[in-house]
Amino acid sequence: MLTLLTSMYLVVRAVSQQAEPIRVVVTGAAGQIAYSLLYSIAKGDVFGKDQPIILILLDIPPMLPVLDGVVMELQDCALPLLMEVIPTDKVEVGFKDIDAAILVGSMPRKEGMERKDLLKANVAIFKTQGSALDKYAKKSVKVLVVGNPANTNCLIASKSAPSIPKENFSCLTRLDHNRACSQVAMRCGVSSSQVKNVIIWGNHSSTQYPDVHHAKVNVAGGEKSAYEAVKNDAWLRGDFISTVQQRGAAVIKARKLSSAMSAAKAICDHMRDIWFGTKEGEFISMGVYAAGNSYGIPEDLIYSFPVQIKNKSWKIVDGLDINDFSRAKMDATAAELVEERDTALDFLSK
């Protein structure tokens, strides 16, 4: 009898101690990036192995039949942390009381489309989503913008959600960061886990600046600077940079589809670091508000910086030496972002 009561007590205690589910919305949820992403979120790779999840899948009305298939697959995975899956095309449902928003959906650039037309279409989308976040989401929501042009879309979403702290918005440059890590690792013949503190500065575009002047590589049990480990300055200042900058286009050329698996992995890395923090002595790259930065970057931008994260708050890593080579590339990508911002804000005001 005592054993039965003890067992019942332990069961009740375990149930009572289970964490409250968090609500996570993914937009563009019927797309290929989301298809690679949702399983990882639902099985606990991002928000923790003991964190129940309510997953909200938001997409446009024509994609709802596809979403039904995605819901069936998630149900058929029988994942213990997945409490509920909610497919919807309504922002008031999608953004209601959410803890995390991963905004993957955006208007893709079509053949013959001018960049300003792409910006105009996306300003409309991210103004709507920002306003919905402002109206329906928790004020503590963490928002990650993935849909391109990610930096400027993130800026528009944030400006359209004035009641949510600007620090809660970030855009994805972790894919570029991971690409840079991998290129250095392959060049040195080590695992990518042996490379740390690469930096992506600026825009998630072909003007981004992958910088390894502060990176470290663990080679044969000893830590070296990336330049010392690679032993090829010309490559690091030339083909390495262009390879990372153009990697997305190279994937499209090879696959006839844009990066999905690697983008999903980068999203998981980014959100996990927001939730659990970065490792001591390490920093990662994310697009964040430039206000108060010590690198002379214009303040009203979402710009990719090296950041460290603790208690779900990021801080730009200050005091890194910037040489003339880096300065020119950091300023060039900032100039592109200023132009994008000004065009987008012009559309936003109309």
Side-chain angles (χ1 to χ4, degrees):
M1 182 67 179
L2 188 61
T3 305
L4 179 60
L5 287 171
T6 303
S7 298
M8 290 174 65
Y9 167 75
L10 289 172
V11 168
V12 170
R13 187 162 177 256
V15 170
S16 68
Q17 285 183 337
Q18 187 179 42
E20 280 290 307
I22 59 170
R23 297 174 66 87
V24 179
V25 66
V26 176
T27 72
Q32 60 156 355
I33 291 176
Y35 194 75
S36 292
L37 172 67
L38 294 169
Y39 175 71
S40 293
I41 293 174
K43 79 181 181 74
D45 287 352
V46 179
F47 299 103
K49 298 296 184 186
D50 56 357
Q51 177 59 66
I53 300 268
I54 295 170
L55 204 47
I56 302 105
L57 311 183
L58 180 63
D59 216 316
I60 56 177
M63 301 308 293
L64 287 179
V66 178
L67 273 190
D68 287 339
V70 176
V71 170
M72 284 188 271
E73 285 218 70
L74 283 166
Q75 290 168 343
D76 295 349
C77 288
L79 296 163
L81 293 174
L82 187 58
M83 299 291 102
E84 189 178 0
V85 188
I86 303 167
T88 185
D89 61 351
K90 295 176 174 59
V91 291
E92 60 269 26
V93 175
F95 292 113
K96 179 70 174 171
D97 294 332
I98 54 165
D99 298 279
I102 302 172
L103 309 184
V104 179
S106 65
M107 168 72 77
R109 191 168 189 168
K110 296 172 182 172
E111 195 172 343
M113 182 183 269
E114 294 286 335
R115 188 167 181 82
K116 68 176 188 298
D117 296 329
L118 180 69
L119 279 167
K120 186 177 183 179
N122 280 297
V123 164
I125 293 168
F126 285 87
K127 179 182 179 181
T128 299
Q129 293 189 350
S131 300
L133 284 162
D134 198 56
K135 188 171 182 181
Y136 301 112
K138 292 179 180 177
K139 301 310 173 191
S140 58
V141 65
K142 301 297 185 184
V143 183
L144 168 58
V145 176
V146 179
N148 288 318
N151 298 60
T152 300
N153 288 344
C154 185
L155 185 71
I156 296 302
S158 175
K159 285 183 178 293
S160 303
S163 70
I164 296 171
K166 288 178 168 55
E167 294 75 23
N168 289 21
F169 287 81
S170 58
C171 83
L172 189 74
T173 57
R174 186 60 172 269
L175 176 53
D176 310 304
H177 179 101
N178 287 351
R179 286 165 171 164
C181 277
S182 178
Q183 288 296 315
V184 171
M186 288 190 294
R187 194 79 181 188
C188 295
V190 298
S191 161
S192 58
S193 64
Q194 303 303 305
V195 181
K196 68 179 184 183
N197 297 352
V198 304
I199 302 167
I200 303 297
W201 299 99
N203 199 2
H204 176 61
S205 75
S206 59
T207 69
Q208 66 177 263
Y209 171 41
D211 177 12
V212 294
H213 284 97
H214 308 281
K216 303 291 184 186
V217 184
N218 197 312
V219 183
E223 196 170 81
K224 297 181 177 181
S225 73
Y227 271 81
E228 190 185 357
V230 170
K231 298 187 181 73
N232 190 330
D233 291 12
W235 180 78
L236 285 171
R237 287 177 169 234
D239 287 351
F240 162 72
I241 292 173
S242 58
T243 296
V244 176
Q245 289 174 332
Q246 302 291 339
R247 190 68 159 187
V251 170
I252 290 172
K253 186 177 179 182
R255 282 191 77 223
K256 310 297 182 274
L257 292 166
S258 59
S259 305
M261 177 170 45
S262 56
K265 162 65 165 53
I267 292 166
C268 291
D269 291 344
H270 180 117
M271 290 303 286
R272 188 189 312 108
D273 282 346
I274 287 178
W275 235 249
F276 297 106
T278 49
K279 294 176 184 174
E280 192 67 36
E282 294 191 23
F283 46 78
I284 52 92
S285 306
M286 23 192 297
V288 297
Y289 250 97
N293 78 86
S294 63
Y295 296 105
I297 302 302
E299 300 222 332
D300 195 25
L301 294 177
I302 299 286
Y303 186 99
S304 183
F305 289 98
V307 302
Q308 292 176 317
I309 306 169
K310 190 174 184 180
N311 300 324
K312 295 185 182 174
S313 294
W314 54 263
K315 183 179 181 299
I316 295 172
V317 177
D318 285 324
L320 298 175
D321 289 333
I322 304 298
N323 61 25
D324 291 345
F325 179 84
S326 295
R327 179 81 264 161
K329 293 192 174 298
M330 290 164 66
D331 289 346
T333 190
E336 182 183 57
L337 280 170
V338 167
E339 187 181 344
E340 274 188 20
R341 176 199 66 195
D342 292 348
T343 305
L345 291 182
D346 186 46
F347 290 133
L348 189 64
S349 64
K350 289 177 180 176

